[in-house]
Amino acid sequence: MAYDPDNIFARILNGEIPCDKVYEDDQVLAFNDHNPQRPVHVLVIPKGEYVSFDDFSANASEAEIAAFTRAVGRIARDLGIAETGYRLLANTGPHGGQEVPHYHVHIFGGAPVGPMVSG
Ligand code: AMP
């Protein structure tokens, strides 16, 4: 699947659409999900144009992957949920239920997240 430069997260990255920013560095942006499913629900996205986890894991540089992984952990610690715990989720493709075609990781926390998979 080719990257769609008009997807909603691309438009957040280029400043067309505002977001409730939680964290930013030269490789990564994180913001609150506008439809939170738990007290903490943050989306972490790489600034590079990657459609999904599949694309990112295959095509991102080692530096991008390292920066992204470090940022996710740092954001969770900064949000104060590392001790109580949290869940990371990367919906990938149609069967994964991915809606926005720019790679992102959800961080859920601040309360028990519940069963791993429902339905
Ligand atoms: P998914 O692609 O299924 O992993 O989820 C996309 C997530 O992006 C959903 O949880 C949406 O609530 C969230 N979302 C979509 N548009 C925005 C936006 N403009 N600002 C914040 N969150 C968004």
Side-chain angles (χ1 to χ4, degrees):
M1 183 185 181
Y3 184 80
D4 169 12
D6 288 327
N7 79 76
I8 194 97
F9 293 171
R11 295 169 70 201
I12 287 175
L13 279 170
N14 71 24
E16 250 181 80
I17 293 178
C19 71
D20 184 11
K21 185 162 70 177
V22 169
Y23 173 86
E24 183 170 20
D25 64 29
D26 57 342
Q27 306 258 35
V28 176
L29 177 68
F31 49 92
N32 286 312
D33 196 294
H34 69 179
N35 183 23
Q37 303 300 309
R38 287 297 181 275
V40 172
H41 185 174
V42 169
L43 299 169
V44 188
I45 69 175
K47 290 189 172 176
E49 296 185 345
Y50 299 101
V51 173
S52 65
F53 173 77
D54 181 60
D55 186 15
F56 187 72
S57 64
N59 298 314
S61 68
E62 307 298 313
E64 286 173 297
I65 292 170
F68 188 80
T69 303
R70 295 273 190 204
V72 171
R74 177 181 169 176
I75 291 161
R77 285 189 298 278
D78 289 351
L79 290 167
I81 59 171
E83 290 294 320
T84 47
Y86 56 89
R87 180 169 298 159
L88 303 180
L89 180 68
N91 295 322
T92 306
H95 284 191
Q98 182 176 1
E99 292 171 5
V100 179
H102 181 113
Y103 174 46
H104 52 281
V105 165
H106 298 251
I107 304 176
F108 297 104
V113 178
M116 189 164 68
V117 178
S118 63

